Structure formats: structure tokens, C-alpha cells
Amino acid sequence: MSIYHISVQTIDGKEIKMEHYRGKVLLIVNTASKCGFTPQYKELQELYENYREEGLEILGFPCNQFMSQEPGSEEEIQEFCSLNYGVTFPLFKKIDVNGEKAHPLYKKLANDAKGVLGSKAIKWNFTKFLVDKQGETVKRYSPNTKPKELEKEIEALLSESVA
């Protein structure tokens, strides 16, 4: 199944298919407002501002599965991200990224780009997945990987033509 067949809900409750992002380079991140990695929102926003016009979309999926570091409502999450980090990239409804109730998008991403020792489990907040213009998962990055460190790989994917 293609990533484009999966539906997601925006943070304000609108359902959209990932098809909406066909032809774009995607950086998909599970986020949290009360995590040691939360300041990565700043670099994610900078990447978005620098490369959005070239076809990059950053998609933030709040998740409360890691030590309850995303306890707020969707409204609180959106307000926090906007006020503290000026986030304008799309945020989505809070989801599970692991376990039986894991969102289908994360099941696919985790299966396509396994982690350390072939693990499918998402280890922590701010795990990042890079997806090319054809909807193929290119790579998984650990939470400690700063968004700016992905710039060269993002630029390379943006310069590729769509098949």
C-alpha cells in the first residue's frame, strides 16, 4: 500500500489523504511539547521556511506515548507551537506511533525504514522520517538528529524530478 492511500486528521479535525502531498518531499516527525527535544521545533520551522517553496512539507504528529510528554489538547498543542516556535508547518491530531493503536501512517513508515537492529518501534519523540516525491520512505532519523543535519539530503531529494 502506498503512503498516499492513508488518511490523516489535521490538528483542527479535517480529514485529508496523504495524496494531498504527492510530489512533495516530506519530513514526518512525531512531536511533543514537554520533551528535551522540543526546541527542535525551531529548526523544523526554519527548514520549512527555507524549502517550502521548493516542495518540502514538514508534517508534525503530536504523540503522548513517551512519558506523557504531550498531555495537552489539540488546541493547546497548536497554541504552544505557534507562540513558542512560530510553527506554520502542518500539525495533525495526536496519534499513537507504537502498539496496537499505532496510526497506519506510522505503521507504514516504521515498516519501510526500520530503526537500530531492524526495530520497527519508534524509540522517542522527534523521530524523523524522510519521504521522497514518489512517496517512498528514504530514511529514519533518531531524535538526537537535529533537523538542520538533514538539509543536504532534503536538498538532494528536492532536486530530483518526479517519475
Side-chain angles (χ1 to χ4, degrees), residues 65-76:
Q65 284 189 293
F66 304 101
M67 291 183 61
S68 301
Q69 293 183 342
E70 189 58 278
S73 68
E74 272 74 17
E75 295 79 21
E76 290 167 331

Side-chain angles (χ1 to χ4, degrees), residues 28-30 122-129 140-143:
I28 301 173
V29 187
N30 61 304
I122 308 299
K123 298 289 189 230
W124 203 254
N125 303 307
F126 290 88
T127 295
K128 299 157 203 73
F129 290 90
R140 175 196 293 219
Y141 301 90
S142 76

Side-chain angles (χ1 to χ4, degrees), residues 12 24 44 62 82 88 100 102 108 113 117 122 132 135 141 161:
D12 54 3
K24 304 274 189 180
L44 289 167
S82 178
T88 59
E100 233 175 77
K108 175 148 181 56
L117 301 174
I122 308 299
D132 69 15
Y141 301 90
S161 58

Side-chain angles (χ1 to χ4, degrees), residues 7-53:
S7 291
V8 292
Q9 279 198 320
T10 63
I11 200 157
D12 54 3
K14 294 183 183 89
E15 187 161 318
I16 62 168
K17 277 200 181 296
M18 289 296 294
E19 173 72 33
H20 177 77
Y21 298 106
R22 184 182 290 276
K24 304 274 189 180
V25 171
L26 306 177
L27 184 59
I28 301 173
V29 187
N30 61 304
T31 61
S33 301
K34 300 187 183 315
C35 175
F37 295 113
T38 301
Q40 287 188 16
Y41 270 126
K42 182 179 186 292
E43 284 188 17
L44 289 167
Q45 180 61 31
E46 288 170 4
L47 280 177
Y48 187 62
E49 290 171 7
N50 293 340
Y51 295 100
R52 181 178 182 205
E53 294 297 316

Side-chain angles (χ1 to χ4, degrees), residues 103-120:
H103 192 282
L105 175 62
Y106 267 82
K107 285 182 182 176
K108 175 148 181 56
L109 292 169
N111 192 55
D112 290 352
K114 294 174 181 62
V116 178
L117 301 174
S119 170
K120 290 183 187 178

